[in-house]
Amino acid sequence: MPPDRDALPLAHLRVMEAGSGVALAYAGKLFADFGATVVKLESPEGDALRRELPLVATGNGGAESALFAWLNTNKRSVTAPPAASGFDVLLEARPPGARDPEAPITALISWFGESGPYAGFAATDVTCRALAGVFTGTGPAEGPPSMLGGIAGAVLGGIAAFNAVTAALLSGAPRRLEVSIHEANVTVAEYQAAQGLTHPEVDRRHGVNRFAPTCPLGVYPCREGWLGVTVVTPAQFRAFCEMIGAPEVGRDPRFVMGIDRLRHVTELEALFVPRLADRSAAAWFEEALARRLPFAVVPDMATLLATPMHRARNAFGTVRIGDAAFEGPTLPQYLTRTPPRAGGTAPRLGAHDGMSLPPRPTPMPDRGTGLPLAGLRVVDLSMGWAGPLCTRQLADLGAEVVKVEARQYPDWWRGVDPREAFFTERQYEKDLRFGVLNRNKAGVTLDLSVPEGAALLKRLVRDADAVVENYAREVLPKLGLDYPALAAERPDLVMVSMPAFGGSGPWRDARAYGSTLEHASGLPSVSGQADWPPTTNQLAYGDPVGGLNAAAALLTALLHRARTGEGQHIDLAQVECMFPLVAPWIVAQSATGSPGPRFGNRHPTQVPHDCFPCAADGWIAVAVTDDAAWQGLCRAIGRPELAADPALSTAAGRRQREAALEAMLADWTRRRTADGAMAALQAEGVAAGALRWPTGLYHDPHLRARGFWQPIDRAFLGPHAQPSAPFREAGRGPYAVRRPAPTLGEDNAAVLGGQLGLSPAELARLEAAGIIGTEAVPVTARKTRAAVG
């Protein structure tokens, strides 16, 4: 039974959505599917997305876009707005000259922000992600890079806008915000940008389904189906080798670390690929579950939609527009007390003209104009990328975040090297990835496996508003620290758990990395060239996507708590966070029976559309979005005769000569740098973006002009640059990086002493007992302690 709208967490909000674009629509969808009154302001001709393929029959001979319908469930459509002052939030994507008076909370959503050299650029999802460093590492070593189509970049921009607005709503103060879709997508490339400074292998293409710094990581054929494989730690590699019947390979000292295995990838794949072909992908996955290996069956769209576990979790809901009905992804933010609507009806153009708004409820208390989340306390029990990215967004917005680690098992992004020198040289303090993900947080150590450590965590939770954790599902219950136990300490607690496949169902104990989540989402089945295997698009796509979605879920639950006093548990299945990125193919499969062909770097309606080689080993993404852009391209490259050719005046005509046009454009780009070609094309209004390497983002002129990279200094790391949040107060610089990431246990005295009131003698006793401390315990010492204990 669908939830009562008034019981939904955002039912008290009134939101206007003005302009067009997927990022705007997805931000509005998050509000609408959680109950807000979202009014979509359209021109008399309707949003251009209404004409996006595939079209579905809506009745009376009409047809509209299935993707538009999914993006706009539960909204109202008007062609003349009610007074803007009647709204709590304005989501604004119109150009500056077309903007109306603003609401108390206004979010200006654009490809590149309101300032900087790219601010006026023509853009598409692909050219924006090219400039964000997302594509260069994917595809054949010799090129061209493989560029995933669809809406992935805009979805991340929409989530960023939603997070900024919900944080502003919690502050109770009027705010004018600026959201950059480009900067939201830089989040995806952060890992490689940080690692590439010390590990040059990360900033290279290694081939289809190959990524530094680990191996194997990709999709491999089985007797039936495809298996997504990710192996990171030495223990996982040994288990993988045992699983395929080659235990001696797992003991080979050449293959201890992932980067060493990558250097021998041809030798290793020659060993394990034939063995994987002996069994079905489903059989290998079942064994991987038992061995706790982060593997997944890679489904096609039909299989994904039919997966019993996803259906049991209502991961897909029915979307309606006119007479048409099909399925699309439900929002992944599963708030157990107040879940979002699963599906809904999208409005016909102007269906709500003349509507009146519901009465305005009592506004949130104004907590001042400082950082939006100032005064919010969060206990961070997460590790790696996804969980820490969630809490980093909260910390950037002003929340007081306390990161809890154990000396025996520190955050794995400090490193997973088991060798003794790693600990004696304190290499676990020298990984820039950890520094990037954990800035603006305090850090303490607690051994939660002993009663006194668990009791101290409970004391921290008593004063906390929220907890974020991404342990394996069974860990916290075994420690007596699951949601019921922590809610007993703080009844209105909001807690986010981030299992790979959700907290229920047959895969609830599956291990996963971000790549595993991408594999299981089916995205590789629609990526890459038609003759390639299913293609992994990024080293760990699911991690940043999961982190941004977790922040959205937590902020939604906090808004509900502010209105009702009710806390709740959030069961965030990270694989479901990937489904909105796959939505174009999911809705096409459901609506038409096929996801459509794999286009590789081409596009179903934009011609030409590809990745072209440039001088100095550069590449540029070019998207001719319409016939006017084709004329602009011809002017940019000095080919007026092509502009005058009537056979090329339409996309259908250009499709007939697509290969020849691509070769002609490649000849032009080869004689220019990527930035030079981009400038020439952009001057004529053609969407084009140089493909940045992740480390090249540090020198990107637009990011530098916007102050995106903030300098900071930290013990063991020294001076380094931190990326900013993808949103800011309009007209100001980015939210500040106020402190570097904590060293292990750096804030034990400040938090356990200052906040909990433990005396210096008590802290010393805890340190002597190994419950707290500032140095990681070597793997060998952990084993000794476990044997003694």
Side-chain angles (χ1 to χ4, degrees):
M1 187 174 189
D4 176 56
R5 180 191 170 277
D6 290 337
L8 290 165
L10 305 184
H12 60 297
L13 295 174
R14 301 173 301 178
V15 179
M16 178 188 281
E17 181 186 307
S20 187
V22 172
L24 173 75
Y26 193 72
K29 179 179 178 65
L30 285 158
F31 281 102
D33 287 0
F34 271 117
T37 298
V38 177
V39 178
K40 184 177 186 66
L41 176 61
E42 301 188 67
S43 69
E45 298 76 30
D47 190 332
L49 285 171
R50 288 184 181 271
R51 297 176 285 280
E52 189 83 9
L53 297 177
L55 302 180
V56 291
T58 54
N60 298 321
E64 297 215 47
S65 167
L67 180 63
F68 170 89
W70 173 75
L71 284 166
N72 290 283
T73 49
N74 303 308
K75 299 178 187 177
R76 282 87 162 159
S77 170
V78 299
T79 56
S85 60
F87 291 90
D88 304 291
V89 174
L90 172 62
L91 302 174
E92 176 65 86
R94 294 171 294 183
R99 294 172 183 168
D100 289 328
E102 300 178 352
I105 306 295
T106 295
L108 308 175
I109 303 170
S110 62
W111 286 114
F112 298 104
E114 299 288 298
S115 63
Y118 305 162
F121 271 16
T124 69
D125 205 285
V126 162
T127 63
C128 179
R129 281 184 283 150
L131 280 163
V134 175
F135 293 140
T136 40
T138 303
E142 68 280 5
S146 179
M147 305 191 304
L148 170 69
I151 62 172
V155 166
L156 294 189
I159 299 169
F162 180 82
N163 291 350
V165 169
T166 49
L169 286 164
L170 281 165
S171 79
R175 293 180 190 267
R176 189 169 185 265
L177 303 162
E178 176 188 329
V179 182
S180 164
I181 302 169
H182 175 235
E183 290 168 12
N185 282 272
V186 171
T187 308
V188 177
E190 282 181 357
Y191 177 102
Q192 294 101 316
Q195 279 289 84
L197 295 178
T198 52
H199 295 73
E201 298 93 339
V202 173
D203 236 13
R204 286 175 44 202
R205 276 186 307 281
H206 296 269
V208 174
N209 284 318
R210 294 176 178 176
F211 296 88
T214 197
C215 174
L217 190 163
V219 181
Y220 300 98
C222 300
R223 189 175 64 200
E224 297 173 14
W226 297 86
L227 186 69
V229 174
T230 303
V231 175
V232 175
T233 69
Q236 287 170 353
F237 185 66
R238 290 193 299 271
F240 173 59
C241 292
E242 290 170 3
M243 186 175 85
I244 63 172
E248 70 285 355
V249 178
R251 296 189 295 268
D252 191 320
R254 295 179 298 160
F255 306 141
V256 174
M257 299 302 293
I259 196 68
D260 299 321
R261 298 192 294 271
L262 184 62
R263 295 178 182 125
H264 297 276
V265 62
T266 303
E267 175 186 349
L268 289 172
E269 287 185 346
L271 169 75
F272 69 74
V273 169
R275 298 188 185 215
L276 290 176
D278 290 341
R279 299 169 64 185
S280 69
W284 285 122
F285 176 59
E286 289 301 318
E287 185 166 350
L289 281 176
R291 293 177 179 270
R292 301 193 171 191
L293 287 170
F295 296 179
V297 176
V298 179
D300 59 22
M301 293 298 102
T303 303
L304 179 72
L305 278 164
T307 301
M309 189 195 66
H310 299 325
R311 304 213 68 85
R313 287 182 54 86
N314 292 320
F316 307 107
T318 300
V319 176
R320 292 181 171 84
I321 185 166
D323 294 344
F326 53 91
E327 289 191 311
T330 300
L331 293 183
Q333 290 84 7
Y334 185 70
L335 279 60
T336 54
R337 184 189 290 270
T338 57
R341 292 161 162 157
T345 299
R348 305 301 294 271
L349 176 62
H352 301 90
D353 279 341
M355 68 171 288
S356 58
L357 292 173
R360 182 190 291 274
T362 303
M364 294 280 294
D366 189 337
R367 296 193 291 114
T369 57
L371 290 171
L373 298 183
L376 188 78
R377 283 188 168 177
V378 180
V379 174
D380 183 2
L381 300 178
S382 66
M383 299 186 185
W385 193 350
L389 177 60
C390 166
T391 52
R392 186 187 82 184
Q393 286 225 328
L394 305 177
D396 287 348
L397 288 161
E400 181 183 320
V401 177
V402 176
K403 183 178 182 68
V404 180
E405 302 175 79
R407 294 178 59 230
Q408 298 79 9
Y409 297 99
D411 188 317
W412 58 75
W413 260 28
R414 291 184 183 274
V416 296
D417 193 330
R419 293 172 290 195
E420 196 73 20
F422 180 81
F423 296 91
T424 58
E425 297 170 7
R426 299 188 74 170
Q427 292 293 327
Y428 53 84
E429 297 290 12
K430 302 175 184 179
D431 199 313
L432 183 56
R433 299 172 304 169
F434 178 87
V436 165
L437 263 295
N438 293 284
R439 57 145 185 263
N440 289 336
K441 304 176 188 178
V444 303
T445 49
L446 286 174
D447 184 350
L448 302 181
S449 67
V450 299
E452 194 167 6
L456 288 169
L457 179 71
K458 288 181 177 180
R459 289 178 60 184
L460 280 176
V461 169
R462 286 174 201 163
D463 292 326
D465 299 284
V467 173
V468 176
E469 64 92 7
N470 63 351
Y471 286 107
R473 182 195 62 86
E474 72 279 5
V475 171
L476 289 183
K478 286 181 180 178
L479 297 175
L481 297 171
D482 56 2
Y483 180 72
L486 296 182
E489 305 292 329
R490 175 79 188 237
D492 64 347
L493 182 71
V494 172
M495 180 169 171
V496 178
S497 296
M498 304 175 65
F501 296 97
S504 59
W507 300 347
R508 64 187 182 275
D509 293 324
R511 300 300 193 265
Y513 292 109
S515 51
T516 318
L517 303 169
E518 182 187 343
H519 295 154
S521 76
L523 189 61
S525 74
V526 295
S527 304
Q529 301 291 342
D531 58 343
W532 290 3
T535 302
T536 310
N537 289 279
Q538 211 267 346
L539 177 73
Y541 225 141
D543 280 317
V545 172
L548 295 172
N549 276 282
L554 190 145
L555 290 164
T556 302
L558 288 171
L559 277 171
H560 174 75
R561 188 186 76 163
R563 188 163 61 100
T564 66
E566 296 174 343
Q568 62 183 305
H569 187 217
I570 299 166
D571 176 17
L572 188 87
Q574 288 194 64
V575 69
E576 293 171 15
C577 297
M578 291 294 296
F579 293 169
L581 278 63
V582 195
W585 298 280
I586 292 175
V587 299
Q589 175 70 48
S590 181
T592 72
S594 169
R598 293 168 71 186
F599 281 95
N601 286 344
R602 289 179 172 176
H603 190 275
T605 61
Q606 299 172 11
V607 187
H609 183 287
D610 209 335
C611 184
F612 297 94
C614 297
D617 297 323
W619 296 88
I620 186 171
V622 179
V624 175
T625 54
D626 55 27
D627 298 338
W630 166 248
Q631 297 292 316
L633 183 141
C634 293
R635 290 192 298 271
I637 65 174
R639 298 293 298 270
E641 75 281 6
L642 296 177
D645 187 342
L648 300 177
S649 62
T650 66
R654 294 191 293 276
R655 181 76 73 194
Q656 299 299 313
R657 291 161 58 182
E658 190 166 19
L661 293 177
E662 289 169 348
M664 175 270 298
L665 188 51
D667 181 65
W668 181 83
T669 58
R670 281 192 185 95
R671 291 178 276 116
R672 290 158 179 82
T673 65
D675 281 85
M678 178 173 69
L681 291 165
Q682 286 287 351
E684 296 294 345
V686 180
L691 271 73
R692 300 286 186 228
W693 284 104
T695 53
L697 295 170
Y698 291 111
H699 310 290
D700 180 271
H702 180 76
L703 294 174
R704 291 176 69 87
R706 286 175 56 79
F708 179 80
W709 296 107
Q710 299 188 48
I712 200 164
D713 198 354
R714 178 187 180 273
F716 299 99
L717 282 178
H720 62 280
Q722 287 275 348
S724 296
F727 37 70
R728 60 182 67 185
E729 307 277 342
R732 302 184 188 177
Y735 288 117
V737 176
R738 304 182 303 279
R739 63 163 285 178
T743 56
L744 190 65
E746 178 180 347
D747 299 287
N748 284 343
V751 174
L752 302 179
Q755 186 175 323
L756 297 189
L758 300 186
S759 68
E762 288 174 301
L763 292 173
R765 179 183 61 79
L766 289 169
E767 185 159 2
I771 296 171
I772 68 172
T774 57
E775 294 188 16
V777 176
V779 174
T780 52
R782 295 177 206 168
K783 293 177 180 177
T784 302
R785 174 176 169 157
V788 172

